[in-house]
Amino acid sequence: MSHDRFIIALLFVLVPGLVLNWNERPIPAFAGILVRLRHECDPANPEADYHWSQRTMPTERKREAIIEDCRKIGTSLLPDVRRQMTQEVDDEMRGMLTVIAAALGDEASIESAGRQMIWSDFPAVRISAAKTLRRLQDRRTFEWFLDAMDDGHFVVNGGCGTLREKFYPVRTIARLALRELIARHPDDRVMQGWSGPLEGMSPSETLEDLSRRMREAKMRELEALVEAEYRRLKEP
């Protein structure tokens, strides 16, 4: 009888421990994702070189593929992503994990991904964050995208001709995302106020340029109203 009690007691100790360890064990797919992501965040990786003259760097396309693979796995990946974020020492890796968490629907990571889009020291992280936040179509990202219109990162695009121009990836994504948010939320007066100015915005313009044009347009409207009222008062 005492032998049976010992076995029962042992089961009570071992089984919960095994269950806890099993729950904490990362799903196999995440290990492969971490390897791929760490390669793209490795400064020694020549494909992450931002001196090349093309609009999209190979590392950006590969990061998009990694994010898409994570989305296919779904929210079951979130516990592993959150756990890795807390212990990750590499800033670029942590930034990308934040973007992945937002892509998987983690509400708390949406604002963090917005900060990565604006303030990350790594252009590929800012671009990945911008693409992910654009997909989410969350109205809370509107102001983040406005701030992203001042992003200074550019690549030199020569295309097939001799004309070389600066191309601003984050600004371009932000401008598209803002237009989509405005179309998605026609009841939002703040968003709708930006609709006209954004339509006439050139690729080289920043948020400061856009704000100045809006102020100038408002001043012209006020001057026209004052002039119309002045003419009305002078009429016999």
Side-chain angles (χ1 to χ4, degrees):
M1 181 66 69
S2 60
H3 183 264
D4 292 341
R5 288 179 180 173
F6 174 76
I7 292 176
I8 292 171
L10 193 62
L11 287 173
F12 270 105
V13 172
L14 289 178
V15 170
L18 289 172
V19 170
L20 287 174
N21 287 334
W22 177 263
N23 288 336
E24 291 179 358
R25 187 177 301 169
I27 62 175
F30 188 59
I33 285 169
L34 276 180
V35 171
R36 291 163 62 194
L37 195 60
R38 204 169 292 282
H39 174 69
E40 296 310 319
C41 294
D42 183 358
N45 174 13
E47 293 184 339
D49 186 355
Y50 275 83
H51 297 292
W52 294 357
S53 298
Q54 58 190 63
R55 289 193 173 202
T56 306
M57 303 300 156
T59 188
E60 292 161 16
R61 296 194 293 272
K62 291 179 181 178
R63 290 176 200 226
E64 273 296 285
I66 292 170
I67 293 170
E68 184 58 31
D69 287 346
C70 290
R71 292 175 67 209
K72 288 176 182 176
I73 295 171
T75 55
S76 62
L77 199 60
L78 263 176
D80 291 323
V81 174
R82 292 191 186 114
R83 190 179 306 113
Q84 186 64 32
M85 285 166 62
T86 61
Q87 63 191 39
E88 183 58 56
V89 296
D90 182 87
D91 288 341
E92 188 171 8
M93 277 288 294
R94 193 163 54 250
M96 287 302 304
L97 289 166
T98 300
V99 172
I100 289 172
L104 292 173
D106 183 29
E107 290 288 322
S109 295
I110 292 177
E111 185 173 349
S112 299
R115 287 195 291 269
Q116 291 293 332
M117 178 174 67
I118 305 301
W119 294 316
S120 175
D121 292 330
F122 307 98
V125 174
R126 298 206 300 271
I127 293 168
S128 296
K131 289 180 177 179
T132 291
L133 292 176
R134 180 190 174 191
R135 275 193 298 267
L136 294 179
Q137 294 279 292
D138 190 308
R139 69 193 309 158
R140 291 173 295 175
T141 63
F142 189 80
E143 291 187 5
W144 289 109
F145 279 120
L146 283 178
D147 288 340
M149 297 298 296
D150 283 333
D151 189 90
H153 168 65
F154 66 87
V155 292
V156 178
N157 177 45
C160 297
T162 58
L163 180 64
R164 301 178 70 80
E165 62 176 358
K166 291 180 180 179
F167 177 71
Y168 295 84
V170 175
R171 288 190 201 177
T172 301
I173 298 166
R175 187 164 59 249
L176 293 171
L178 288 168
R179 290 173 180 170
E180 290 163 358
L181 283 167
I182 289 169
R184 187 180 181 88
H185 301 285
D187 59 324
D188 193 307
R189 295 181 62 184
V190 173
M191 289 189 191
Q192 297 306 314
W194 290 90
S195 178
L198 279 169
E199 286 300 321
M201 190 175 187
S202 70
S204 61
E205 282 188 301
T206 64
L207 177 62
E208 184 179 350
D209 298 327
L210 188 59
S211 300
R212 185 176 61 253
R213 280 205 295 110
M214 292 175 70
R215 289 194 301 270
E216 291 171 351
K218 183 62 68 176
M219 285 298 299
R220 287 194 296 271
E221 290 178 12
L222 290 173
E223 288 170 359
L225 287 172
V226 170
E227 186 176 347
E229 182 65 13
Y230 177 73
R231 285 199 303 267
R232 188 187 68 79
L233 291 174
K234 286 187 65 178
E235 290 176 356

PDB file of all heavy atoms in Angstrom, residues 117-140:
ATOM      1  N   MET A 117       8.323  52.208 -36.164  1.00  0.00           N
ATOM      2  CA  MET A 117       8.244  52.821 -37.487  1.00  0.00           C
ATOM      3  C   MET A 117       8.847  54.221 -37.485  1.00  0.00           C
ATOM      4  O   MET A 117       9.464  54.654 -38.463  1.00  0.00           O
ATOM      5  CB  MET A 117       6.786  52.874 -37.950  1.00  0.00           C
ATOM      6  CG  MET A 117       6.587  53.550 -39.302  1.00  0.00           C
ATOM      7  SD  MET A 117       4.883  53.447 -39.908  1.00  0.00           S
ATOM      8  CE  MET A 117       4.002  54.473 -38.706  1.00  0.00           C
ATOM      9  N   ILE A 118       8.696  54.945 -36.386  1.00  0.00           N
ATOM     10  CA  ILE A 118       9.170  56.329 -36.319  1.00  0.00           C
ATOM     11  C   ILE A 118      10.605  56.429 -35.820  1.00  0.00           C
ATOM     12  O   ILE A 118      11.402  57.203 -36.347  1.00  0.00           O
ATOM     13  CB  ILE A 118       8.255  57.164 -35.396  1.00  0.00           C
ATOM     14  CG1 ILE A 118       6.805  57.082 -35.848  1.00  0.00           C
ATOM     15  CG2 ILE A 118       8.708  58.626 -35.354  1.00  0.00           C
ATOM     16  CD1 ILE A 118       6.558  57.568 -37.249  1.00  0.00           C
ATOM     17  N   TRP A 119      10.943  55.656 -34.814  1.00  0.00           N
ATOM     18  CA  TRP A 119      12.186  55.897 -34.088  1.00  0.00           C
ATOM     19  C   TRP A 119      13.243  54.802 -34.188  1.00  0.00           C
ATOM     20  O   TRP A 119      14.352  54.968 -33.659  1.00  0.00           O
ATOM     21  CB  TRP A 119      11.877  56.150 -32.607  1.00  0.00           C
ATOM     22  CG  TRP A 119      11.105  57.410 -32.377  1.00  0.00           C
ATOM     23  CD1 TRP A 119      11.332  58.633 -32.959  1.00  0.00           C
ATOM     24  CD2 TRP A 119       9.974  57.577 -31.528  1.00  0.00           C
ATOM     25  NE1 TRP A 119      10.411  59.554 -32.518  1.00  0.00           N
ATOM     26  CE2 TRP A 119       9.557  58.935 -31.637  1.00  0.00           C
ATOM     27  CE3 TRP A 119       9.265  56.733 -30.687  1.00  0.00           C
ATOM     28  CZ2 TRP A 119       8.482  59.441 -30.942  1.00  0.00           C
ATOM     29  CZ3 TRP A 119       8.185  57.240 -29.990  1.00  0.00           C
ATOM     30  CH2 TRP A 119       7.801  58.580 -30.114  1.00  0.00           C
ATOM     31  N   SER A 120      12.955  53.678 -34.812  1.00  0.00           N
ATOM     32  CA  SER A 120      13.968  52.623 -34.879  1.00  0.00           C
ATOM     33  C   SER A 120      15.213  53.116 -35.606  1.00  0.00           C
ATOM     34  O   SER A 120      15.141  53.871 -36.572  1.00  0.00           O
ATOM     35  CB  SER A 120      13.411  51.388 -35.609  1.00  0.00           C
ATOM     36  OG  SER A 120      14.430  50.424 -35.780  1.00  0.00           O
ATOM     37  N   ASP A 121      16.372  52.670 -35.131  1.00  0.00           N
ATOM     38  CA  ASP A 121      17.639  53.024 -35.778  1.00  0.00           C
ATOM     39  C   ASP A 121      17.895  52.200 -37.033  1.00  0.00           C
ATOM     40  O   ASP A 121      18.874  52.438 -37.740  1.00  0.00           O
ATOM     41  CB  ASP A 121      18.806  52.804 -34.803  1.00  0.00           C
ATOM     42  CG  ASP A 121      18.788  53.792 -33.644  1.00  0.00           C
ATOM     43  OD1 ASP A 121      18.308  54.926 -33.842  1.00  0.00           O
ATOM     44  OD2 ASP A 121      19.232  53.422 -32.540  1.00  0.00           O
ATOM     45  N   PHE A 122      17.008  51.235 -37.305  1.00  0.00           N
ATOM     46  CA  PHE A 122      17.226  50.303 -38.411  1.00  0.00           C
ATOM     47  C   PHE A 122      16.170  50.512 -39.494  1.00  0.00           C
ATOM     48  O   PHE A 122      14.974  50.263 -39.265  1.00  0.00           O
ATOM     49  CB  PHE A 122      17.182  48.869 -37.891  1.00  0.00           C
ATOM     50  CG  PHE A 122      18.116  48.639 -36.731  1.00  0.00           C
ATOM     51  CD1 PHE A 122      17.639  48.683 -35.420  1.00  0.00           C
ATOM     52  CD2 PHE A 122      19.469  48.423 -36.938  1.00  0.00           C
ATOM     53  CE1 PHE A 122      18.498  48.489 -34.354  1.00  0.00           C
ATOM     54  CE2 PHE A 122      20.337  48.228 -35.876  1.00  0.00           C
ATOM     55  CZ  PHE A 122      19.847  48.268 -34.575  1.00  0.00           C
ATOM     56  N   PRO A 123      16.584  50.975 -40.670  1.00  0.00           N
ATOM     57  CA  PRO A 123      15.616  51.253 -41.743  1.00  0.00           C
ATOM     58  C   PRO A 123      14.715  50.074 -42.083  1.00  0.00           C
ATOM     59  O   PRO A 123      13.522  50.251 -42.331  1.00  0.00           O
ATOM     60  CB  PRO A 123      16.505  51.628 -42.932  1.00  0.00           C
ATOM     61  CG  PRO A 123      17.760  52.153 -42.321  1.00  0.00           C
ATOM     62  CD  PRO A 123      17.957  51.348 -41.074  1.00  0.00           C
ATOM     63  N   ALA A 124      15.269  48.862 -42.100  1.00  0.00           N
ATOM     64  CA  ALA A 124      14.455  47.694 -42.453  1.00  0.00           C
ATOM     65  C   ALA A 124      13.357  47.447 -41.425  1.00  0.00           C
ATOM     66  O   ALA A 124      12.273  46.978 -41.768  1.00  0.00           O
ATOM     67  CB  ALA A 124      15.336  46.457 -42.595  1.00  0.00           C
ATOM     68  N   VAL A 125      13.627  47.759 -40.155  1.00  0.00           N
ATOM     69  CA  VAL A 125      12.595  47.617 -39.117  1.00  0.00           C
ATOM     70  C   VAL A 125      11.499  48.652 -39.352  1.00  0.00           C
ATOM     71  O   VAL A 125      10.303  48.355 -39.255  1.00  0.00           O
ATOM     72  CB  VAL A 125      13.206  47.776 -37.710  1.00  0.00           C
ATOM     73  CG1 VAL A 125      12.104  47.772 -36.646  1.00  0.00           C
ATOM     74  CG2 VAL A 125      14.201  46.663 -37.428  1.00  0.00           C
ATOM     75  N   ARG A 126      11.893  49.898 -39.663  1.00  0.00           N
ATOM     76  CA  ARG A 126      10.893  50.948 -39.913  1.00  0.00           C
ATOM     77  C   ARG A 126      10.007  50.578 -41.099  1.00  0.00           C
ATOM     78  O   ARG A 126       8.786  50.763 -41.064  1.00  0.00           O
ATOM     79  CB  ARG A 126      11.587  52.291 -40.157  1.00  0.00           C
ATOM     80  CG  ARG A 126      12.395  52.792 -38.969  1.00  0.00           C
ATOM     81  CD  ARG A 126      12.534  54.307 -38.963  1.00  0.00           C
ATOM     82  NE  ARG A 126      13.193  54.841 -40.123  1.00  0.00           N
ATOM     83  CZ  ARG A 126      14.513  55.010 -40.243  1.00  0.00           C
ATOM     84  NH1 ARG A 126      15.301  54.643 -39.253  1.00  0.00           N
ATOM     85  NH2 ARG A 126      15.040  55.528 -41.323  1.00  0.00           N
ATOM     86  N   ILE A 127      10.620  50.043 -42.148  1.00  0.00           N
ATOM     87  CA  ILE A 127       9.850  49.661 -43.335  1.00  0.00           C
ATOM     88  C   ILE A 127       8.923  48.495 -43.015  1.00  0.00           C
ATOM     89  O   ILE A 127       7.742  48.500 -43.408  1.00  0.00           O
ATOM     90  CB  ILE A 127      10.798  49.318 -44.494  1.00  0.00           C
ATOM     91  CG1 ILE A 127      11.538  50.581 -44.949  1.00  0.00           C
ATOM     92  CG2 ILE A 127      10.035  48.701 -45.663  1.00  0.00           C
ATOM     93  CD1 ILE A 127      12.693  50.320 -45.886  1.00  0.00           C
ATOM     94  N   SER A 128       9.419  47.495 -42.299  1.00  0.00           N
ATOM     95  CA  SER A 128       8.587  46.343 -41.925  1.00  0.00           C
ATOM     96  C   SER A 128       7.424  46.778 -41.047  1.00  0.00           C
ATOM     97  O   SER A 128       6.294  46.298 -41.210  1.00  0.00           O
ATOM     98  CB  SER A 128       9.429  45.296 -41.191  1.00  0.00           C
ATOM     99  OG  SER A 128      10.426  44.758 -42.038  1.00  0.00           O
ATOM    100  N   ALA A 129       7.694  47.697 -40.116  1.00  0.00           N
ATOM    101  CA  ALA A 129       6.623  48.199 -39.244  1.00  0.00           C
ATOM    102  C   ALA A 129       5.576  48.947 -40.061  1.00  0.00           C
ATOM    103  O   ALA A 129       4.370  48.775 -39.844  1.00  0.00           O
ATOM    104  CB  ALA A 129       7.215  49.113 -38.166  1.00  0.00           C
ATOM    105  N   ALA A 130       6.032  49.764 -41.005  1.00  0.00           N
ATOM    106  CA  ALA A 130       5.093  50.530 -41.833  1.00  0.00           C
ATOM    107  C   ALA A 130       4.202  49.598 -42.647  1.00  0.00           C
ATOM    108  O   ALA A 130       2.982  49.795 -42.733  1.00  0.00           O
ATOM    109  CB  ALA A 130       5.859  51.476 -42.749  1.00  0.00           C
ATOM    110  N   LYS A 131       4.785  48.578 -43.250  1.00  0.00           N
ATOM    111  CA  LYS A 131       4.000  47.636 -44.054  1.00  0.00           C
ATOM    112  C   LYS A 131       2.993  46.877 -43.189  1.00  0.00           C
ATOM    113  O   LYS A 131       1.839  46.683 -43.588  1.00  0.00           O
ATOM    114  CB  LYS A 131       4.933  46.653 -44.763  1.00  0.00           C
ATOM    115  CG  LYS A 131       5.745  47.279 -45.886  1.00  0.00           C
ATOM    116  CD  LYS A 131       6.647  46.249 -46.557  1.00  0.00           C
ATOM    117  CE  LYS A 131       7.411  46.855 -47.737  1.00  0.00           C
ATOM    118  NZ  LYS A 131       8.303  45.860 -48.378  1.00  0.00           N
ATOM    119  N   THR A 132       3.434  46.458 -42.013  1.00  0.00           N
ATOM    120  CA  THR A 132       2.538  45.709 -41.126  1.00  0.00           C
ATOM    121  C   THR A 132       1.391  46.584 -40.631  1.00  0.00           C
ATOM    122  O   THR A 132       0.229  46.169 -40.643  1.00  0.00           O
ATOM    123  CB  THR A 132       3.339  45.146 -39.935  1.00  0.00           C
ATOM    124  OG1 THR A 132       4.217  44.128 -40.414  1.00  0.00           O
ATOM    125  CG2 THR A 132       2.421  44.553 -38.883  1.00  0.00           C
ATOM    126  N   LEU A 133       1.706  47.802 -40.191  1.00  0.00           N
ATOM    127  CA  LEU A 133       0.663  48.693 -39.687  1.00  0.00           C
ATOM    128  C   LEU A 133      -0.307  49.094 -40.799  1.00  0.00           C
ATOM    129  O   LEU A 133      -1.504  49.271 -40.555  1.00  0.00           O
ATOM    130  CB  LEU A 133       1.290  49.939 -39.050  1.00  0.00           C
ATOM    131  CG  LEU A 133       2.073  49.684 -37.759  1.00  0.00           C
ATOM    132  CD1 LEU A 133       2.730  50.969 -37.274  1.00  0.00           C
ATOM    133  CD2 LEU A 133       1.167  49.110 -36.678  1.00  0.00           C
ATOM    134  N   ARG A 134       0.189  49.213 -42.003  1.00  0.00           N
ATOM    135  CA  ARG A 134      -0.706  49.522 -43.126  1.00  0.00           C
ATOM    136  C   ARG A 134      -1.721  48.394 -43.316  1.00  0.00           C
ATOM    137  O   ARG A 134      -2.899  48.650 -43.575  1.00  0.00           O
ATOM    138  CB  ARG A 134       0.106  49.732 -44.404  1.00  0.00           C
ATOM    139  CG  ARG A 134      -0.764  50.067 -45.609  1.00  0.00           C
ATOM    140  CD  ARG A 134       0.006  50.043 -46.915  1.00  0.00           C
ATOM    141  NE  ARG A 134      -0.876  50.220 -48.052  1.00  0.00           N
ATOM    142  CZ  ARG A 134      -0.532  50.041 -49.317  1.00  0.00           C
ATOM    143  NH1 ARG A 134       0.714  49.682 -49.617  1.00  0.00           N
ATOM    144  NH2 ARG A 134      -1.417  50.213 -50.286  1.00  0.00           N
ATOM    145  N   ARG A 135      -1.268  47.158 -43.200  1.00  0.00           N
ATOM    146  CA  ARG A 135      -2.177  46.022 -43.363  1.00  0.00           C
ATOM    147  C   ARG A 135      -3.264  46.002 -42.288  1.00  0.00           C
ATOM    148  O   ARG A 135      -4.394  45.590 -42.538  1.00  0.00           O
ATOM    149  CB  ARG A 135      -1.400  44.703 -43.312  1.00  0.00           C
ATOM    150  CG  ARG A 135      -0.809  44.272 -44.641  1.00  0.00           C
ATOM    151  CD  ARG A 135      -0.337  42.832 -44.587  1.00  0.00           C
ATOM    152  NE  ARG A 135       0.709  42.635 -43.612  1.00  0.00           N
ATOM    153  CZ  ARG A 135       2.005  42.704 -43.893  1.00  0.00           C
ATOM    154  NH1 ARG A 135       2.413  42.958 -45.113  1.00  0.00           N
ATOM    155  NH2 ARG A 135       2.905  42.511 -42.958  1.00  0.00           N
ATOM    156  N   LEU A 136      -2.916  46.445 -41.080  1.00  0.00           N
ATOM    157  CA  LEU A 136      -3.868  46.376 -39.962  1.00  0.00           C
ATOM    158  C   LEU A 136      -5.053  47.328 -40.142  1.00  0.00           C
ATOM    159  O   LEU A 136      -6.138  47.062 -39.628  1.00  0.00           O
ATOM    160  CB  LEU A 136      -3.153  46.684 -38.647  1.00  0.00           C
ATOM    161  CG  LEU A 136      -2.098  45.675 -38.196  1.00  0.00           C
ATOM    162  CD1 LEU A 136      -1.462  46.122 -36.890  1.00  0.00           C
ATOM    163  CD2 LEU A 136      -2.697  44.286 -38.049  1.00  0.00           C
ATOM    164  N   GLN A 137      -4.841  48.454 -40.828  1.00  0.00           N
ATOM    165  CA  GLN A 137      -5.922  49.417 -41.071  1.00  0.00           C
ATOM    166  C   GLN A 137      -6.584  49.845 -39.760  1.00  0.00           C
ATOM    167  O   GLN A 137      -7.812  49.983 -39.684  1.00  0.00           O
ATOM    168  CB  GLN A 137      -6.965  48.815 -42.005  1.00  0.00           C
ATOM    169  CG  GLN A 137      -6.460  48.549 -43.416  1.00  0.00           C
ATOM    170  CD  GLN A 137      -6.461  49.797 -44.286  1.00  0.00           C
ATOM    171  OE1 GLN A 137      -7.501  50.322 -44.640  1.00  0.00           O
ATOM    172  NE2 GLN A 137      -5.288  50.254 -44.629  1.00  0.00           N
ATOM    173  N   ASP A 138      -5.783  50.057 -38.741  1.00  0.00           N
ATOM    174  CA  ASP A 138      -6.288  50.452 -37.422  1.00  0.00           C
ATOM    175  C   ASP A 138      -6.278  51.983 -37.336  1.00  0.00           C
ATOM    176  O   ASP A 138      -5.255  52.619 -37.583  1.00  0.00           O
ATOM    177  CB  ASP A 138      -5.395  49.846 -36.339  1.00  0.00           C
ATOM    178  CG  ASP A 138      -5.971  49.992 -34.939  1.00  0.00           C
ATOM    179  OD1 ASP A 138      -6.328  51.124 -34.562  1.00  0.00           O
ATOM    180  OD2 ASP A 138      -6.059  48.981 -34.222  1.00  0.00           O
ATOM    181  N   ARG A 139      -7.399  52.578 -36.955  1.00  0.00           N
ATOM    182  CA  ARG A 139      -7.481  54.044 -36.938  1.00  0.00           C
ATOM    183  C   ARG A 139      -6.497  54.661 -35.945  1.00  0.00           C
ATOM    184  O   ARG A 139      -6.136  55.840 -36.074  1.00  0.00           O
ATOM    185  CB  ARG A 139      -8.917  54.488 -36.651  1.00  0.00           C
ATOM    186  CG  ARG A 139      -9.417  54.209 -35.262  1.00  0.00           C
ATOM    187  CD  ARG A 139     -10.939  54.385 -35.178  1.00  0.00           C
ATOM    188  NE  ARG A 139     -11.373  55.651 -35.722  1.00  0.00           N
ATOM    189  CZ  ARG A 139     -12.616  55.908 -36.163  1.00  0.00           C
ATOM    190  NH1 ARG A 139     -13.522  54.944 -36.142  1.00  0.00           N
ATOM    191  NH2 ARG A 139     -12.946  57.087 -36.620  1.00  0.00           N
ATOM    192  N   ARG A 140      -6.068  53.884 -34.946  1.00  0.00           N
ATOM    193  CA  ARG A 140      -5.091  54.407 -33.977  1.00  0.00           C
ATOM    194  C   ARG A 140      -3.734  54.689 -34.611  1.00  0.00           C
ATOM    195  O   ARG A 140      -2.900  55.389 -34.025  1.00  0.00           O
ATOM    196  CB  ARG A 140      -4.917  53.405 -32.833  1.00  0.00           C
ATOM    197  CG  ARG A 140      -6.114  53.261 -31.922  1.00  0.00           C
ATOM    198  CD  ARG A 140      -5.930  52.140 -30.937  1.00  0.00           C
ATOM    199  NE  ARG A 140      -5.858  50.841 -31.586  1.00  0.00           N
ATOM    200  CZ  ARG A 140      -5.606  49.699 -30.946  1.00  0.00           C
ATOM    201  NH1 ARG A 140      -5.373  49.700 -29.646  1.00  0.00           N
ATOM    202  NH2 ARG A 140      -5.566  48.554 -31.611  1.00  0.00           N
TER     203      ARG A 140
END
